[in-house]
Amino acid sequence: MALRARQYAAGYGVASDLVRANIHEGLAGVTVPGQVQAGFCYRIIAVGGSGVRDLDLFLYDQTGREVDHDRSPDNFPVIGLNRPLCIPPGMPPIGAQLRIRAYSGHGAIGVQMFAMPFNGQAQPVMAQPGMVTGPVVGAPGVVYAPR
């Protein structure tokens, strides 16, 4: 995870614990529910071990609508890299779910969230009128902010 964090989350702070799991090809995968805090932009990185050849990452809002995904054919998907995932200040904590799925292979995985303060320049991700959503990693009901 440290290598991928340096590559894809430079300038971001750690915003969650590293969540670890074992995953098997073709099954439903691992789902991690939680909440995010307003005033931050987020990146989520998942990393598969040597037996995981293709790992996919999906982000859903609290209504179950897919907000973003990374289905690139690799074992280190990143959400928030190609499109900013930001929640402007003043919004309440927002619930969402992250799903990690092995498209090819099986084995150990890790997923972690990184954040930086929202500077007002990135376009927030809108789920529906008046609701802004962002990525989630962690235990249900836990609001993560940069440490």
Side-chain angles (χ1 to χ4, degrees):
M1 179 60 73
L3 171 64
R4 299 302 178 200
R6 283 192 305 275
Q7 288 176 317
Y8 301 112
Y12 284 67
V14 173
S16 75
D17 293 330
L18 175 62
V19 176
R20 299 172 190 265
N22 283 305
I23 200 162
H24 298 281
E25 180 178 327
L27 298 180
V30 175
T31 300
V32 184
Q35 292 183 327
V36 292
Q37 187 172 2
F40 297 95
C41 294
Y42 295 91
R43 293 239 170 113
I44 304 171
I45 302 173
V47 176
S50 60
V52 181
R53 292 178 297 281
D54 187 354
L55 193 62
D56 296 331
L57 193 56
F58 302 87
L59 173 66
Y60 299 92
D61 68 14
Q62 57 200 15
T63 68
R65 184 185 73 86
E66 185 178 303
V67 174
D68 205 350
H69 65 267
D70 182 338
R71 294 187 294 189
S72 299
D74 56 34
N75 72 343
F76 53 92
V78 180
I79 289 181
L81 183 63
N82 297 322
R83 180 171 86 144
L85 290 168
C86 300
I87 303 173
M91 299 293 295
I94 298 167
Q97 284 194 337
L98 184 65
R99 186 166 63 101
I100 307 103
R101 183 174 169 263
Y103 185 79
S104 176
H106 64 278
I109 63 159
V111 63
Q112 193 165 26
M113 185 169 65
F114 302 86
M116 69 171 21
F118 177 68
N119 63 15
Q121 295 176 7
Q123 185 68 28
V125 176
M126 302 300 287
Q128 52 188 288
M131 181 172 290
V132 181
T133 62
V136 173
V137 174
V142 176
V143 176
Y144 287 98
R147 297 177 186 176

